[in-house]
Every structure is written in structure tokens, then in C-alpha cells.
Amino acid sequence: MSVEPITTRDHEARKRVHLQLTKTEIEEISEMLLYEELSRARIRDLEEGIRTQRARGSARAVRRWSRVARWAAQRAERYENQS
């Protein structure tokens, strides 16, 4: 196995060759990035909707348990007065 010594100039030249993209490749990459950004936006919208729904559900649970607690207190008071 032999290894060729490579200079910095050679390395930079090879990098430039690999970085030159055709117009079609650039368009494909741009389109892919566009779809990726759209999917991220959809995910953000879904997460926001879930946060809103959880907040609403939490408030609903608070009201429900408040009613249950009020009913239990009234019932306990009624039974205390009967005894």
C-alpha cells in the first residue's frame, strides 16, 4: 500500500471540484430544503395546536374537579346536619 503525499494546494483544488454543482443539482437541493422547511413549519403549527388544546383541557379539568369538590363538600355538610 502506498500513500501519495498531498499538498494543501492539491487538497483545496480537489475541494473546489467537489463543490461545483450544476444548476439542476442546486435546484434539487433548494427544493429539498423548501420541503424540509415546510415540514418544520407544519410540525411547529401542530405543536402550537397541541399546547393550546392542553391549556384548554387543563382549564376544563380544573372546573370539573372544582364542581366535584363543591358537590362533595355539600354532601358532607348535608350528612353532618342529619346526624
Side-chain angles (χ1 to χ4, degrees):
M1 183 169 120
S2 65
V3 177
E4 291 182 33
I6 185 168
T7 64
T8 305
R9 186 179 306 141
D10 292 338
H11 179 68
E12 292 297 323
R14 286 184 185 174
K15 278 177 47 178
R16 281 191 209 109
V17 170
H18 291 296
L19 291 178
Q20 293 176 348
L21 300 173
T22 64
K23 184 178 178 183
T24 305
E25 290 172 333
I26 291 171
E27 288 173 356
E28 288 174 353
I29 290 171
S30 297
E31 186 176 352
M32 182 182 68
L33 293 174
L34 176 68
Y35 284 123
E36 188 175 333
E37 185 57 37
L38 285 172
S39 66
R40 284 189 186 131
R42 287 187 189 118
I43 290 169
R44 281 192 299 269
D45 289 346
L46 287 172
E47 288 173 344
E48 181 63 31
I50 289 169
R51 274 194 291 276
T52 304
Q53 188 177 5
R54 283 184 181 163
R56 225 179 310 140
S58 175
R60 192 178 312 133
V62 168
R63 288 192 303 271
R64 184 180 328 120
W65 283 110
S66 296
R67 283 194 304 263
V68 170
R70 192 170 45 249
W71 172 81
Q74 290 171 352
R75 187 176 169 98
E77 189 178 320
R78 209 176 322 138
Y79 282 109
E80 280 181 8
N81 292 335
Q82 287 181 0
S83 299

